[in-house]
Amino acid sequence: MTAGPSPDHSPSTAPSGQRQSPPAFGARLRRAMDERGPLCVGIDPHASLLADWGLNDDVAGLARFARTVVEALADRVAVLKPQSAFFERFGSRGVAVLETAVEEARERGALVVMDAKRGDIGSTMAAYAATYLDPASPLFSDAVTVSPYLGYGSLRPAVDLAREHGCGLFTLALTSNEEGQEVQRAVRADGTSVAATMLGHLAAENAGAEPLGSFGAVVGATLGDLSSFDLAINGPLLAPGIGAQGATPADLPGVFGSAVRNVVPSVSRGVLRHGPDIAALRAAAAQFADEVQSAALQA
């Protein structure tokens, strides 16, 4: 894992002077993973972790936590993933901290995936999309997690806005929580599972994209052998569960098979528990990134 700037998100200008679309999220993510190592670190300031860091469970503690993680990691990991709920619980002041964290993380070179898991229909979904995928928004991020369980078509406003602004989506497909199976592994009338249907939609969105599509799936790293699912969606696979939840980098090839090169393993407590020491946070993230890269090369 090496420090350095992330791919530029600025729109390019054609020779004629016309503005072109900004670089696609998938291309920027592929470059970041290749240069910095394939790792996503969550920014999850829950109360117990603030206490472990010796911080109060208040806005000041929240701000100190977020600032420290960004300072330690934004110039060297591929992706930072703030969990919006842990900021929202403090109301508008917490959201203001989140806005600052997102802006500073992107300025320091990390790609930011907002973990908000939004899902709705029509104009409400369009408003959620604008919150995270419109460059005019103070919460503008490189990608956002979304829930498709009002039907994949309900995500269309987010898909369209992501394409327009060079952003990405990570759609919940095969999550690691046991309760998710009753929906995600349910079988539709045509004989395909709901999860497989979602993966099929994402593969269609990513068709022809090079070097990587911008529409990814959330697939838990703790789920074991997933060979019955086609994970070759030509897009990234955000894989929570590494570290405290029990999965290890060595498990990734067995879970993801030939799609392992497109996996973005997400680690939160496994890295964050080493704070607030910046050097310790950096060392933990570097170790995870190296282990993930080694596992992918051996697949």
Side-chain angles (χ1 to χ4, degrees):
M1 182 176 67
T2 59
S6 71
D8 185 16
H9 184 269
S10 302
S12 58
T13 302
S16 63
Q18 295 178 340
R19 287 172 66 84
Q20 296 178 328
S21 298
F25 171 72
R28 294 186 291 121
L29 177 61
R30 175 81 275 157
R31 178 179 168 188
M33 291 169 65
D34 290 346
E35 292 182 351
R36 296 183 170 202
L39 187 69
C40 166
V41 177
I43 307 180
D44 297 355
H46 48 76
S48 62
L49 194 51
L50 293 177
D52 290 344
W53 279 35
L55 301 172
N56 292 330
D57 187 24
D58 56 19
V59 174
L62 178 75
R64 175 70 182 277
F65 181 95
R67 185 168 59 249
T68 300
V69 176
V70 169
E71 180 182 350
L73 301 178
D75 67 343
R76 60 198 62 226
V77 302
V79 180
L80 287 176
K81 180 174 68 66
Q83 169 48 258
S84 180
F86 291 120
F87 296 83
E88 293 174 30
R89 69 191 182 98
F90 292 102
S92 61
R93 294 179 299 163
V95 173
V97 172
L98 179 58
E99 292 173 1
T100 299
V102 169
E103 181 181 12
E104 292 183 351
R106 298 186 74 244
E107 286 177 349
R108 290 171 178 258
L111 298 176
V112 172
V113 174
M114 182 64 71
D115 195 356
K117 299 182 177 70
R118 300 304 193 218
D120 215 304
I121 61 173
S123 60
T124 306
M125 189 65 234
Y128 279 138
T131 300
Y132 306 109
L133 304 175
D134 186 333
S137 170
L139 285 172
F140 177 62
S141 303
D142 296 283
V144 62
T145 59
V146 292
S147 174
Y149 296 109
L150 288 171
Y152 182 82
S154 67
L155 301 180
R156 184 51 53 187
V159 171
D160 291 345
L161 201 61
R163 287 193 188 282
E164 180 181 352
H165 295 303
C167 298
L169 301 180
F170 284 99
T171 298
L172 303 180
L174 288 160
T175 59
S176 55
N177 63 307
E178 186 175 350
E179 303 91 335
Q181 296 188 25
E182 68 184 43
V183 175
Q184 296 158 14
R185 300 198 187 220
V187 177
R188 302 172 63 234
D190 64 1
T192 60
S193 69
V194 173
T197 300
M198 297 307 161
L199 292 168
H201 284 304
L202 295 170
E205 300 288 0
N206 293 323
E210 294 182 359
L212 187 67
S214 298
F215 299 93
V218 179
V219 179
T222 58
L223 294 177
D225 183 4
L226 293 175
S227 58
S228 60
F229 293 93
D230 185 1
L231 300 177
I233 63 170
N234 191 32
L237 302 169
L238 183 64
I242 301 291
Q245 294 184 45
T248 69
D251 296 326
L252 295 174
V255 177
F256 295 95
S258 61
V260 70
R261 185 171 180 268
N262 294 335
V263 170
V264 188
S266 179
V267 181
S268 294
R269 283 171 289 173
V271 170
L272 299 179
R273 66 184 179 85
H274 295 279
D277 185 282
I278 286 179
L281 287 167
R282 289 174 173 171
Q287 180 176 344
F288 272 112
D290 290 343
E291 290 176 0
V292 167
Q293 202 155 31
S294 295
L297 289 173
Q298 294 171 12

